[in-house]
């Protein structure tokens, strides 16, 4: 199970690799706040429908508002609920900016440390786009046990497809 969370409407258009059967992807596009929550599952009976729906949802995104990174991460953890041990779960944060609204880094740290240990086990994998503050995203990865990836590369292990493959390797 993976949570994709981003404020860059074009971020997933570079993702060309296939999603795995039974993989569940929840999109939480955000700006000043979370705009919507949509979950897609790759059904083995129709393995193309889930990825097609993910791509359609991401193609319909528009950039608007500020960038509330920490508030959206808190919303992602809240969306996961208490049972994260029954599936491999991670949060993928994709952003092309730095936090300009909502919770601060300190607020998020307090929130994260107050989570039950089973939910703290869910790492955040930030993917850098555009003018992202790499040090801010690196701190998020370090706090949550994730790793920072560079989504600006077009090919190779630093590409978006490569990042998702490496993230799956952590699960």
């Amino acid at each position: 199970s993976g949570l994709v969370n981003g404020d860059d409407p074009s971020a997933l258009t570079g993702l060309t690799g296939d999603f795995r059967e039974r993989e569940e992807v929840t999109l939480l596009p955000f700006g000043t706040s979370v705009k919507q929550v949509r979950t897609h599952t790759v059904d083995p009976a129709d393995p193309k429908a889930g990825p097609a729906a993910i791509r359609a949802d991401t193609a319909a995104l528009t950039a608007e508002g500020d960038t509330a990174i920490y508030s959206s991460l808190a919303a992602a953890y809240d969306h996961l609920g208490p049972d994260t041990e029954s599936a491999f779960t991670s949060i993928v944060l994709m952003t092309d900016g730095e936090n300009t609204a909502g919770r601060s880094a300190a607020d998020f740290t307090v929130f994260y440390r107050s989570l039950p240990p089973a939910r703290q086990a869910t790492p955040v994998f930030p993917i850098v786009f555009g003018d992202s503050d790499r040090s801010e995203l690196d701190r998020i990865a370090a706090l949550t046990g994730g790793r920072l990836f560079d989504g600006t590369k077009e090919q190779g292990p630093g590409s978006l497809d490569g990042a998702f493959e490496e993230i799956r390797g952590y699960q």
Side-chain angles (χ1 to χ4, degrees), residues 104-120:
S104 68
D107 294 338
F108 177 73
T109 299
V110 169
F111 166 83
Y112 176 80
R113 290 187 175 150
S114 73
L115 292 172
R119 285 181 54 205
Q120 283 186 26

Side-chain angles (χ1 to χ4, degrees), residues 22-81:
R22 295 183 184 79
E23 190 164 19
E24 182 177 287
V25 175
T26 300
L27 302 172
L28 284 93
F30 66 91
T32 304
S33 62
V34 173
K35 298 175 185 179
Q36 65 181 350
V37 179
R38 291 210 175 150
T39 299
H40 303 282
T41 302
V42 180
D43 183 349
D46 188 3
K48 293 184 179 181
I54 292 166
R55 289 184 181 95
D57 275 359
T58 57
L61 295 176
T62 57
E64 58 187 42
D66 292 320
T67 303
I69 290 173
Y70 298 108
S71 294
S72 67
L73 285 175
Y77 275 103
D78 286 342
H79 181 78
L80 289 174

Side-chain angles (χ1 to χ4, degrees), residues 3-166:
L3 223 55
V4 178
N5 182 352
D7 70 338
D8 179 3
S10 63
L12 280 183
T13 58
L15 184 59
T16 58
D18 290 326
F19 291 92
R20 296 177 180 172
E21 288 186 359
R22 295 183 184 79
E23 190 164 19
E24 182 177 287
V25 175
T26 300
L27 302 172
L28 284 93
F30 66 91
T32 304
S33 62
V34 173
K35 298 175 185 179
Q36 65 181 350
V37 179
R38 291 210 175 150
T39 299
H40 303 282
T41 302
V42 180
D43 183 349
D46 188 3
K48 293 184 179 181
I54 292 166
R55 289 184 181 95
D57 275 359
T58 57
L61 295 176
T62 57
E64 58 187 42
D66 292 320
T67 303
I69 290 173
Y70 298 108
S71 294
S72 67
L73 285 175
Y77 275 103
D78 286 342
H79 181 78
L80 289 174
D83 182 23
T84 56
E85 296 177 352
S86 63
F88 296 116
T89 305
S90 59
I91 296 172
V92 179
L93 169 68
M94 298 180 359
T95 183
D96 63 354
E98 58 187 64
N99 194 61
T100 60
R103 293 179 189 238
S104 68
D107 294 338
F108 177 73
T109 299
V110 169
F111 166 83
Y112 176 80
R113 290 187 175 150
S114 73
L115 292 172
R119 285 181 54 205
Q120 283 186 26
T122 300
V124 175
F125 296 99
I127 300 179
V128 173
F129 290 95
D131 297 327
S132 300
D133 181 342
R134 289 174 183 266
S135 63
E136 179 177 50
L137 299 179
D138 202 32
R139 283 190 298 274
I140 292 168
L143 173 68
T144 65
R147 179 178 155 211
L148 179 66
F149 290 91
D150 187 342
T152 61
K153 297 179 182 175
E154 292 185 24
Q155 296 181 24
S159 69
L160 194 53
D161 281 337
F164 272 86
E165 281 305 310
E166 285 192 57

